[in-house]
Amino acid sequence: MTAAAAEVERVARLSYGRLVATLAMRTGSVQMAADALSDALLRALETWPVRGIPEKPEAWLVTAARNRLSDARRHDRVAATAQSHLVRLEEERADRTRGTMPDHLLNLLFVCAHPAIAASIRTPLMLQVVLGLDARRMSGAFLISPGTLGQRLTRARAKIEAAGIGFALPSPDEFEARLDHVLDAIYAAYTVGAEGHSAGDAKGAPLASEAIWLGSVLASEMPRQAEAQALLALMLYAEARRPARTGPDGAFIPLDEQDPNLWNARMLDDADLAMRLAIPNASLGRYQIEAAIQAAHADRRRGNPTDWTGIAALYRGLVSLHPSIGAVTGLAAALGETGRGEEALALLDDIPRDRTTGYQPWWAVRAHLLRGKGDVEGARLAYDRATALSTDPAIRAFLSQRKASMRRD
């Protein structure tokens, strides 16, 4: 890959959402903005190897995309006035001067969370429009086949165009309902990125970083929103542990065996600060509970043992508020650590099988619990399924070793 092509890929990966948001705020159309950006990226692949990489790549792409939109308007015989032309030139001049794109991402996120869009598709729609993820990369996170998810995303994007949804932030009476979906999208982006990074996906780490950045922007813009502060804390707690997640040989190290001295202390301090900022405006919310669970794990850096009883209590609260398969699986894992393996297995068995078939953590926790119970054959089957569903080579090796160790035991 040439240096110019690598730079096009880098800008597309890191700035896709910001560029689409910048263009969409002027056009009022997400689809037109995305099409224009795709055309600009193709032009960059043709032009940059010959003329060199521009000093401000993002500004170059915005200018090229706006030119494409202007050409399209002329083709459709929509008159462009001298004033609008001057406005566009001034925008381009300002972009070149700043070297950065104005941040309209939050507006675009709230557009995708509009009530006219089906609730089940709002989060994946935000991930596609704002972060450029395709249906294939997202399907595992939402337990939907890529084909089905792709069709739903296409319909949702068409709905934005047909409904003429405005790009301004929602009114106060709509704000809270839309905010929940925005938070979910940011956390889903972090999860997809973090898991992809661990599995060797080159785009994973930038996506996780972008999600944390979006979370920090949201928390900064909305300091009184406890859930926004808690989401930022949750992502920082998780990301801080990355240096200790694998050993020098690349082997996976589970959380309870990690060396807390290897955790990123600065990130943990920032996470603690975000939690403190959430307290004055605290309300019972999913991300406040999830962040509290991660804070309890992080307490090991102060020399305290893991409080599994307290973590199990937090998971019970999370299940009551947000009864997802992840929350129930987390509760089962915590109960297992407190010596209540039978209760934990019963919780797992109560989840409908059509939801557990492709959910790797459910099988991994089940394997651990069955092993503790002495059910060697059941544990082997669960380990096999968990291994097959893992995309991270280090986790696959870890699970295989755990399975093999039962024979030695």
Side-chain angles (χ1 to χ4, degrees), residues 143-206:
L143 304 181
I144 304 174
S145 71
T148 300
L149 182 57
Q151 292 173 355
R152 293 179 184 176
L153 288 167
T154 299
R155 289 195 294 267
R157 289 172 68 134
K159 190 68 172 285
I160 291 178
E161 307 296 318
I165 296 171
F167 280 71
L169 290 175
S171 59
D173 58 325
E174 292 184 354
F175 182 83
E176 290 289 343
R178 290 208 219 177
L179 177 62
D180 288 342
H181 291 284
V182 171
L183 294 171
D184 290 346
I186 292 173
Y187 188 45
Y190 174 76
T191 302
V192 171
E195 291 179 352
H197 178 40
S198 299
D201 182 356
K203 298 180 180 180

Side-chain angles (χ1 to χ4, degrees), residues 175-243:
F175 182 83
E176 290 289 343
R178 290 208 219 177
L179 177 62
D180 288 342
H181 291 284
V182 171
L183 294 171
D184 290 346
I186 292 173
Y187 188 45
Y190 174 76
T191 302
V192 171
E195 291 179 352
H197 178 40
S198 299
D201 182 356
K203 298 180 180 180
L207 178 58
S209 297
E210 183 82 353
I212 293 174
W213 177 81
L214 276 174
S216 68
V217 170
L218 192 64
S220 176
E221 292 291 325
M222 303 170 186
R224 295 181 180 275
Q225 290 292 335
E227 280 289 86
Q229 300 293 340
L231 172 61
L232 177 59
L234 171 60
M235 293 187 292
L236 289 172
Y237 281 130
E239 192 66 16
R241 296 196 299 264
R242 183 170 298 282

Side-chain angles (χ1 to χ4, degrees), residues 345 348-349 353 356-357 359-371 375-390 399-400 402-403 406:
L345 283 168
L348 293 181
D349 289 338
R353 283 304 171 92
T356 65
T357 301
Y359 189 62
Q360 191 271 353
W362 187 89
W363 290 98
V365 171
R366 183 176 181 80
H368 179 71
L369 293 171
L370 289 173
R371 174 180 180 153
D375 184 350
V376 175
E377 185 58 32
R380 283 178 182 161
L381 294 174
Y383 274 127
D384 286 341
R385 184 62 179 164
T387 303
L389 291 171
S390 299
L399 292 171
S400 296
R402 284 289 172 98
K403 175 188 172 183
M406 289 194 301

Side-chain angles (χ1 to χ4, degrees), residues 9-34:
E9 181 182 358
R10 184 194 70 81
V11 174
R13 183 174 66 242
L14 298 181
S15 302
Y16 180 88
R18 283 173 232 180
L19 296 173
V20 168
T22 298
L23 295 165
M25 290 299 291
R26 295 296 302 167
T27 65
S29 168
V30 174
Q31 190 60 56
M32 287 177 63

